[in-house]
Structure formats: structure tokens, C-alpha cells
């Protein structure tokens, strides 16, 4: 009897250890750019790459399937503006290669990737902007990715995409305080109406009577207009903040927020629970943020220990591990602000900053990663609401570009699911209104969801198809549990033109004669269908 | 430092006035009317589209020869603006004068005051000539300060009102060495960033502490406040002794006073209550830096900047005895926008000031524990 109890205790302790376990090992990486603040896929293979930027160069370490990196330099014209305040990535031309925004204290420069990812063209705007946080986001929800830039000392600016890759400068309507104070913009659907709303973490001097420091929430009405709901939501707060971490910390289906203090001169960190009715309640007391003495300009949220609850980081080398009940337990980690991405494709999120990668050592928790490819919606699927349902509950994420204050992190959507061994349902609600539902998706793997892929085929989805290598030069190998002999394979280029069609007699496709570029392979195996994007070089 | 002025003319005037009021037998003193200033001032139509319309200068405008009433002045320690030289003037409407509020407080300027600041470089390459880039005006109109920014043309014959800001690449000889910068002419929002207190636009420089000094006028040297008073620009209500800044380059002054004077003109507009960065703990005006904590001595910073610095790990805003461990030193000794201070107004490092701040920090011996 005694030994049994002991065993139980040991078992209990070990599970406990598993849940809280989080550690990182640091490795140096020889990145050459001046601004080492970005980790995001750049070549369309959905493996997160490491991007560092200088005035005339973009240095990309492309992640390989085996977790190694292949560095490559892309020379650019001397950029009018450098990302001294923030950097964001998104594919505003929709060609499968992410473009970049550099936000400086004098203005905005875009670096636009060409159609085969071999070069970047500078697009600089002459307007003076003291840029803070930048984001790629489809502001008017027309399917074309726009861009937003916080202005420190004037009304915010944004760039509307005409669908032909041209951006038009706009100022006014999205945070108009004349003296600014706009620091950390974050586009999130706080009221679950399918439209991305705008929260602005604000900071401003000017004494106790100054108004520019009050945080703002702008509700997207879905018709191209926005309403300032700062007061009615309860988020109009004077705390001096440069960034906020938005996530559903208690998995109740609504996005909560940690507004992180950069200074305690006008109040401390604020943990705000989304009540689900458009209002928020201050639940900082007892959360751990009320007693934490560190300040930071960087706050963001990811599930680092894959336990199914979003953690918060960015402040004073501290990770706030979410206990699931709006309390957080702190642990020391080797980074504060950082770009977060999966840099060895193991399902555990790593961090990049400076010349260091901090690899997450992982644990035995399960996970799933969703890569989104918009068709009617913007190419990245930025603004998509992704929901997974498993035994521990329902988790939600919004695909967002521009987390925290300065850094650019992965655009892949990562969930931990703790010890759950299956996910009942994966739902992707696209900005276009399209909804893709996948029952029982495989766990501990990555899924590419192409917008609308589940609509026409319903249950007849071929979920486990993978392609390798990707990018490919000659022979594309297909892997699935299904027998591929006799399957119909069609390859379309990005303009929708059929460039290849064949009935398969093996599990490989010879694409050596296909010219370089990005393609979608449509496969039909006994009426089970799949569409997967690949890169030919 | 406390500096006594000797406003002899003022004293005589007071004595004469005392006599006259004592006895009504004396003839009242007939003041000689001051000449009229030819400055063209029409409150309804300012700011004018061009600088010449004000008629501040006579002859070739590029010589910046002031007409009567446009009074040159200088600050004891000026703001660093990428090594640009500055010529400052002040003008007030007739019968109007400023009054003293406090040593460290802006004068209470009358309606219609115009503060004129010209930015220029000498030895501009390739012709090795003087080139004026911009003239900034602060005009007190309807009891508010209004910015008017004039950008000079290539011919140096006119300057045009332009509130949108501009970058002007310039190369010049600085102490015989070629230097270059993409000089920034500020937009209106950039002006306000520094020139605001509690949300209102204000001048920064013209405070008693900054101009209580001798200026070499065309008709001889004189204390600037005395001269202002003589011109009818300053009420005589100011005290005889004023806590005054020192020339930051004057090595005969103490390191402490030089550094605090430099901080006042280069940092205090933001790092003061009501300023752009008042949510950070330091307070850098001359009158407040008497307290060590206001200088950031032994104060831990809100923001960790170690990410940007590869060869040092600053722990305090000012770590006595070790510039390398001081955030303030690193923020001055960089052109990286993400951490540089001041935030705007410079693209180059002020090398001479960095030497001073290093010397100053290394001379401190406060124990932080």
C-alpha cells in the first residue's frame, strides 16, 4: 500500500513538472543585419526564417526542413527609412513572398518582394511619420493587405492597397490625437464579430492633465468605419504603455489583454478580462502583474510550454506562465523582447533577438500549427480567427502581423494542447467570411489551410498530404496514407493558369520542366482532394 | 551659478524717478521716444508666406543684418543641432514688453512677440560658403505661440513658409574636417514635440538663466537683460541676482555646472514635468539637477537598452564613476534612432558633449548601494 502511494505521488509530481517545464538553450547565429528583430517565413514554405535588415541589405537565414539555416543576402537600394522603431512582414502583393515594412522616426519604407522572391524593391513614402508599431492588416477588408503605422507625434497613418500592389498614404480616422502618443497598435477581434478592431497602447508626457496617454480601442463596424469605444469598453486608461498582449488567457472564447506598463508614473500593468459584452474588467489584483516590479516596452503572448494556455513575455527576462485562471507564475528566461517563431520546426516556440536563437527545449505536451493561405482574403490570412476544440477547452487565435512593440514574429498560428491527444475540430474563420472546418486534424504536425478548401469537398479532404522537398528543383515527392497511383494532379500558377496536368503512376511528380515560381498542386485521390502550395526554383 | 548684473542705466532711472516723485516742483522727465521699428507686423496675416515680408533684416537678407527693433541675443549654452550655427533675434511690438517670472521660467512675453532663429552652416562644400537653411519663428498671437517655419532657397535670397519638414543633405568643413549630414528641417509636429509643456506650444531658450550674460552688440558689449530693458523689451521687475547657466564649453567653470547647463538646453524640454518624456524619472532642467536623482544618478532605467549595445551592459541611467554602465552616456553616444537622445534634432553624435558627459560621469563618486 505504501509503495503504491509513493508511486502515485511520484506520478503526480512528474505530471506537474511536465506542465510547468520550460527552458531554453541559447545558440549564436551569425546574422549580419543591423536590425535583428524579425523571424518569419519569407519564401512561402511556411518554415520561419530569420531576417535582419540594414540600409542596403536584407539578410535572410532560410530555415531548412532539418532545422539548419541557409543564409542569403538581398541587396536593396539605400532605404530612406530603417526599422529603428519597428518591422513588420506580410504579403501585400499576394505573390507568396512576404514584404517588409521599415518604421523609422522619419517615415515608412516598404520592401516589396518580387514574384520569385529573388529581389526586393524599395517603396518609400515621402510623408514624415514618427513611426512606432507597424502592422500589416486588411483595414478595409477588401481582400488586399493594407498597412498601418502608429505616429508618435501626430494622427496615425495607414496605407491602403488598391489590389495592384499600389499603396496609398492616408492619415486620419484611426487614432487622431493631434500630439499622438500612439505606440503599440494591435489589430484584434475583441467582440468576435469577424472584423479586426484596433487597440492602441499609448504613452505620452505632458503632465497629469494630458490626454494623449489614454489607450484607445477602435471598433471595426465592418462597413469601413470605426467607432472609438475606449470609454465604453473600459480600456481608456492612462497607464504609460508601448505594447499590449492580447489573447484569450482563460480560453472562454474572448480575447483578453495585458496592457504592459513601460513606466509606473501613471499606473501599473493592467490585466483586463473580456466580459464578452464589449466591456473589460480589471483583474490585475492577484494575477502576479500587480506585484511585478519590472517595466518594459515589449509585451506579447504565446504558449511557450504548449499547455494550452497563453503565456506572456517581453519584460525583464521574465516569462509569465499562465495558470489558466488569470494568475501567472513567473520564471526567468534568457530574453526580454524577441521575435517568436518555431526555428527548428519542432512545435515549440523559440525566440530570436540580436545574434541569438533561444531554442525552446520543449516537453511532452502536444501541439498543432496552422498555416493559413487566403484566396479571397489576403494571402497571409491575416485577420483570420482560428479556433481549436479539444478536451481542455476551446482556444482561439487571430492571425496578426506586428506583435509587441518592435519585433516581427511568426505568422504561423501555434497552439499547445497540453496532454490532450486529439483535437475535435479546427475552425478557420477567414476575413472574407469563408469558414473552413476540419474535423479531427492530426496533432503534433503542421496544417496548411487554403481558404475555402473544405467548402467544396466537405468530408472528402485529403488531410495528410505533404510535399518534399519544398522548394523543389526536379522531383516532387508526395506523401500520404492514400495510394497515389491513378490520382489526378494539376498544377496552377499564381495567376490560376494550369501549367501541368497528369494522372500519377507513382508518388512523385517531375516538375523539372516547370519554370521557377510559386504554384499550387491540386490533387484528387479517389475524390479526396488537397491543394498545397510549393515553390519551384 | 549666481551672477550679479550691473544695470547702471536702470539704477539711474530709478533714482531720477524717485527724485521726481518726491517733489512736484521738478519738471517731469521727458523720455526720448524710441525709434520706430520698421518690422512689418500685421497680426491678421501672419505667418506670412515669405520671410522677407516681415522686414526683419535690411540689405541683403542673407547677411541677417537686423533692422531697428530686431534684437540679436544668444543663449549661454545652446541646443546642439548637428553642428548648425544659429543666429537668434527677438522683436516685440512697440509699447510692449516682457516681464520676469523666475530665473528658470520663460519670460512672460507680450502679445505679438516674435522669436527668430536662423540655422546656418559655415564652410559649406563644395564652394566653402555660408549657407542658411532655415528660419524658425515663434509668434505670440492670441495669447498662444504659433510656429512658422521658413526654408531658404538655394540663392539665399528668400525663405518660404513650409510646415511639412524637409531633409537637406549638407556637407561642410568642421574645424577643417569635412562633415556631412542629411539635415532635418522639422515639420510642425516635430516642432511641437520639443516645444510643448502641458500640451501648449512654448519657446524654450529665452529664460533669464540662459541669457543673463554679456553680448557683443554692434554698439558695444552689454548684459542681454539690461539691453532688453533699454530697448523697452523687458520690465525692470527682475531681481539683481539670477541663478544662471554657464557656457558648457567654458573649462574654467565646474564640470557639474557645465554638464547641468548642457542638459538644460539639450534635454530639459522633454525631461521636465509637462514635457514630452515626463513619464521617465529624470528631470534635467538646470534648477532641478541640483538633486542627484533627477540626473538619474543611481537610478535604474525603465527601459533596458542592452539589446542595442554589444560591448557594454548599462545598469543605471547614470552609474557614478563608469560611463560605460550609464544609459545616459550610451544614448548620447549613438546615432541609432531606437535609443538615441535627444530623440529628434540631431542625426550626428555631439562628440565634444560625449567627452564631457564621460568625464562628468567618471568624476562622480556616489555609492549607489
Amino acid at each position: 500500500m505504501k509503495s503504491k502511494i509513493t508511486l502515485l505521488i511520484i506520478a503526480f509530481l512528474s505530471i506537474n513538472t511536465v506542465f510547468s517545464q520550460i527552458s531554453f538553450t541559447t545558440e549564436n547565429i551569425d546574422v549580419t543585419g543591423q536590425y535583428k528583430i524579425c523571424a518569419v517565413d519569407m519564401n512561402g514554405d511556411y518554415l520561419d526564417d530569420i531576417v535582419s535588415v540594414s540600409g542596403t541589405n536584407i539578410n535572410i537565414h532560410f530555415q531548412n526542413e532539418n532545422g539548419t539555416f541557409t543564409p542569403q543576402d538581398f541587396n536593396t537600394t539605400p532605404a530612406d527609412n530603417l526599422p529603428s522603431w519597428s518591422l513588420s512582414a506580410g504579403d501585400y502583393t499576394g505573390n507568396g513572398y512576404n514584404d517588409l515594412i521599415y518604421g523609422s522616426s522619419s517615415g515608412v519604407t516598404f520592401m516589396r518582394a518580387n514574384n520569385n522572391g529573388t529581389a526586393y524593391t524599395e517603396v518609400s513614402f515621402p510623408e514624415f511619420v514618427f513611426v512606432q508599431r507597424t502592422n500589416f492588416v486588411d483595414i478595409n477588408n477588401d481582400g488586399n493587405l493594407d498597412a498601418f503605422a502608429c505616429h508618435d507625434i501626430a494622427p496615425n497613418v495607414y496605407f491602403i492597397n488598391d489590389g495592384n500592389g499600389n499603396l496609398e498614404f492616408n492619415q486620419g480616422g484611426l487614432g487622431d490625437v493631434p500630439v499622438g502618443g500612439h505606440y503599440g497598435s494591435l489589430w484584434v477581434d475583441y467582440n468576435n464579430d469577424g472584423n479586426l478592431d484596433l487597440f492602441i497602447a499609448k504613452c505620452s508626457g505632458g503632465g497629469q492633465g494630458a490626454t494623449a496617454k489614454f489607450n484607445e480601442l477602435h471598433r471595426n463596424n465592418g462597413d469601413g468605419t470605426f467607432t472609438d469605444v475606449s470609454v465604453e469598453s473600459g480600456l481608456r486608461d492612462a497607464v504609460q504603455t508601448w505594447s499590449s498582449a492580447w489573447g484569450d488567457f482563460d480560453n472562454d472564447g474572448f480575447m483578453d489583454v495585458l496592457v504592459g506598463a513601460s513606466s509606473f508614473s501613471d499606473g501599473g500593468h493592467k490585466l483586463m478580462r473580456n466580459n464578452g459584452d464589449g466591456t473589460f474588467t480589471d483583474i490585475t489584483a492577484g494575477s502576479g502583474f500587480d506585484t511585478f516590479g519590472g517595466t518594459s516596452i515589449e509585451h506579447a503572448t504565446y504558449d511557450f510550454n504548449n499547455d494550452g494556455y497563453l503565456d506572456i513575455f517581453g519584460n525583464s527576462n521574465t516569462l509569465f506562465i499562465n495558470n489558466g485562471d488569470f494568475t501567472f507564475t513567473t520564471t526567468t528566461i534568457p530574453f526580454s523582447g524577441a521575435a517568436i517563431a518555431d526555428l527548428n520546426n519542432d512545435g515549440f516556440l523559440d525566440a530570436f533577438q540580436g545574434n541569438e536563437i533561444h531554442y525552446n527545449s520543449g516537453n511532452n505536451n502536444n501541439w498543432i500549427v496552422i498555416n493559413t493561405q487566403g484566396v479571397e482574403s489576403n494571402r497571409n490570412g491575416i485577420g483570420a480567427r482560428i479556433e481549436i476544440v479539444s478536451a481542455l477547452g476551446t482556444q482561439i487565435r487571430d492571425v496578426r502581423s506586428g506583435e509587441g512593440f518592435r519585433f516581427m514574429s511568426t505568422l504561423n498560428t501555434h497552439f499547445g494542447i497540453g496532454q490532450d491527444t486529439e483535437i475535435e475540430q479546427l475552425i478557420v474563420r477567414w476575413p472574407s467570411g469563408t469558414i473552413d472546418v476540419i474535423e479531427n486534424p492530426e496533432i503534433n504536425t503542421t496544417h496548411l489551410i487554403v481558404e475555402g478548401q473544405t467548402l467544396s469537398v466537405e468530408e472528402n479532404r485529403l488531410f495528410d498530404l505533404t510535399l518534399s522537398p519544398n522548394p523543389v528543383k526536379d522531383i516532387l515527392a508526395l506523401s500520404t496514407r492514400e495510394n497515389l497511383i491513378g490520382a489526378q494532379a494539376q498544377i496552377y500558377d499564381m495567376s490560376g493558369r494550369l501549367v501541368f496536368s497528369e494522372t500519377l503512376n507513382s508518388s512523385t511528380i517531375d516538375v523539372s520542366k516547370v519554370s521557377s515560381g510559386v504554384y499550387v498542386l491540386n490533387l484528387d485521390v479517389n475524390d479526396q482532394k488537397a491543394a498545397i502550395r510549393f515553390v519551384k526554383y | 551659478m549666481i551672477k550679479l548684473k550691473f544695470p547702471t542705466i536702470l539704477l539711474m532711472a530709478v533714482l531720477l524717478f524717485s527724485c521726481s516723485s518726491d517733489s512736484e516742483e521738478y519738471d517731469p522727465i521727458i523720455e526720448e521716444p524710441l525709434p520706430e521699428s520698421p518690422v512689418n507686423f500685421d497680426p491678421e496675416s501672419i505667418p506670412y508666406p515669405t520671410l522677407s515680408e516681415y522686414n526683419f533684416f535690411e540689405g541683403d537678407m542673407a547677411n541677417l543684418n537686423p533692422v531697428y527693433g530686431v534684437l540679436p541675443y544668444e543663449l549661454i549654452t545652446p541646443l546642439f543641432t548637428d553642428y548648425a550655427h544659429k543666429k537668434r533675434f527677438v522683436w516685440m511690438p512697440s509699447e510692449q514688453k516682457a516681464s520676469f517670472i523666475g530665473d528658470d521660467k520663460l519670460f512672460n512675453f507680450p502679445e505679438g512677440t516674435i522669436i527668430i532663429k536662423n540655422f546656418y552652416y559655415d564652410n559649406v562644400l563644395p564652394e566653402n560658403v555660408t549657407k542658411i537653411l532655415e528660419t524658425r519663428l515663434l509668434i505670440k498671437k492670441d495669447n498662444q505661440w504659433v510656429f512658422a517655419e521658413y526654408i531658404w532657397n538655394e540663392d539665399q535670397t528668400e525663405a518660404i513658409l513650409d510646415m511639412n519638414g524637409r531633409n537637406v543633405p549638407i556637407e561642410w568643413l568642421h574645424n577643417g574636417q569635412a562633415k556631412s549630414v542629411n539635415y532635418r528641417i522639422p515639420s510642425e509636429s516635430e516642432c511641437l514635440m520639443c516645444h510643448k509643456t502641458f500640451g501648449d506650444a512654448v519657446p524654450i531658450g529665452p529664460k533669464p538663466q540662459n541669457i543673463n550674460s554679456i553680448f557683443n552688440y554692434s554698439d558695444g558689449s552689454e548684459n542681454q537683460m539690461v539691453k532688453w530693458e533699454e530697448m523697452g523689451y523687458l520690465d525692470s521687475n527682475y531681481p539683481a541676482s539670477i541663478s544662471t547657466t554657464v557656457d558648457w564649453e567654458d573649462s574654467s567653470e565646474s564640470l557639474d555646472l557645465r554638464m547641468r547647463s548642457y542638459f538644460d538646453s539639450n534635454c530639459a524640454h522633454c525631461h521636465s514635468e509637462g514635457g514630452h518624456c515626463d513619464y521617465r524619472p529624470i528631470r534635467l532642467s538646470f534648477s532641478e539637477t541640483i538633486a542627484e536623482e533627477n540626473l538619474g544618478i543611481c537610478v535604474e532605467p525603465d527601459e533596458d537598452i542592452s539589446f542595442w549595445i554589444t560591448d557594454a551592459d548599462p545598469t543605471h541611467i547614470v552609474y557614478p564613476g563608469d560611463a560605460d554602465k550609464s544609459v545616459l552616456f550610451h544614448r548620447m553616444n549613438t546615432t541609432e534612432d531606437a535609443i538615441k537622445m535627444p530623440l529628434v534634432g540631431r542625426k550626428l553624435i555631439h562628440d565634444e558633449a560625449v567627452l564631457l558627459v564621460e568625464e562628468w560621469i567618471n568624476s562622480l563618486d556616489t555609492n549607489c548601494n
Side-chain angles (χ1 to χ4, degrees), chain A residues 34-37 84-85 105 128 130 151-154 179 183 203-208 240 242 262-263 265-266 295-297 317 353-354 406-407, chain B residues 164 167 184 187 189-193 196-199 273-280 301-304 307-308 336-340 343-344 347:
Chain A
Q34 182 182 354
Y35 296 93
K36 309 167 203 302
I37 55 175
S84 45
W85 289 99
S105 46
F128 167 79
F130 198 122
H151 200 320
D152 187 4
I153 58 174
V179 295
Y183 279 63
C203 180
S204 178
Q208 289 303 312
Q240 301 283 1
W242 292 30
S262 147
S263 150
S265 68
D266 288 85
T295 55
S296 177
I297 63 173
N317 289 72
Q353 49 101 30
R406 184 186 307 286
F407 293 88
Chain B
N164 296 320
N167 294 318
R184 177 67 188 170
S187 62
S189 56
E190 288 166 277
C191 295
L192 187 61
M193 188 171 176
K196 68 171 184 272
T197 183
F198 298 100
E273 190 63 26
H276 188 74
C277 285
D278 68 1
Y279 56 91
R280 297 298 185 210
D302 282 344
E303 186 188 344
D304 180 7
F307 177 69
W308 299 100
E336 170 52 63
D337 274 349
I339 57 166
K340 82 166 198 258
L343 207 52
V344 293
K347 289 183 177 174

Side-chain angles (χ1 to χ4, degrees), chain A residues 41-272:
Chain A
D41 172 41
M42 292 295 283
N43 58 353
D45 64 1
Y46 291 96
L47 293 171
D48 289 319
D49 308 313
I50 288 180
V51 185
S52 63
V53 163
S54 303
T56 57
N57 192 55
I58 300 171
N59 175 246
I60 304 178
H61 286 245
F62 289 106
Q63 186 182 162
N64 303 312
E65 293 258 5
N66 62 6
T68 63
F69 291 92
T70 303
Q72 190 176 346
D73 283 313
F74 297 86
N75 292 326
T76 66
T77 50
D80 286 359
N81 301 290
L82 288 169
S84 45
W85 289 99
S86 71
L87 193 152
S88 294
D91 181 6
Y92 81 86
T93 59
N95 66 0
Y97 293 91
N98 277 332
D99 313 297
L100 300 173
I101 312 176
Y102 300 173
S104 84
S105 46
S106 49
V108 177
T109 286
F110 291 82
M111 285 291 172
R112 192 176 64 196
N114 71 1
N115 284 343
N116 54 17
T118 55
Y120 292 83
T121 303
E122 178 186 2
V123 181
S124 285
F125 283 78
E127 291 85 357
F128 167 79
V129 185
F130 198 122
V131 183
Q132 300 289 304
R133 177 74 259 176
T134 47
N135 316 92
F136 273 112
V137 54
D138 184 2
I139 294 170
N140 56 4
N141 202 22
D142 65 352
N144 304 311
L145 200 57
D146 312 306
F148 180 87
C150 274
H151 200 320
D152 187 4
I153 58 174
N156 293 317
V157 306
Y158 50 99
F159 303 84
I160 297 295
N161 185 344
D162 71 356
N164 297 314
N166 305 307
L167 297 169
E168 186 192 18
F169 179 89
N170 286 268
Q171 186 170 28
L174 292 171
D176 287 341
V177 172
V179 295
H182 312 107
Y183 279 63
S185 50
L186 194 138
W187 292 79
V188 58
D189 182 7
Y190 82 97
N191 58 356
N192 291 359
D193 67 352
N195 302 310
L196 279 184
D197 313 294
L198 168 63
F199 179 78
I200 311 170
K202 300 197 66 179
C203 180
S204 178
Q208 289 303 312
T211 54
K213 62 191 168 192
F214 286 91
N215 299 326
E216 295 174 31
L217 179 64
H218 295 266
R219 185 184 66 215
N220 185 340
N221 301 317
D223 58 1
T225 67
F226 288 78
T227 302
D228 186 337
V229 292
S230 313
V231 174
E232 66 182 78
S233 65
L235 293 181
R236 188 176 188 275
D237 183 355
V239 57
Q240 301 283 1
T241 171
W242 292 30
S243 59
S244 60
W246 278 84
D248 182 4
F249 298 123
D250 61 344
N251 292 339
D252 72 342
F254 288 91
M255 293 286 185
D256 313 298
V257 59
L258 181 276
V259 182
S262 147
S263 150
F264 290 144
S265 68
D266 288 85
H269 308 294
K270 290 279 165 53
L271 184 63
M272 304 295 287

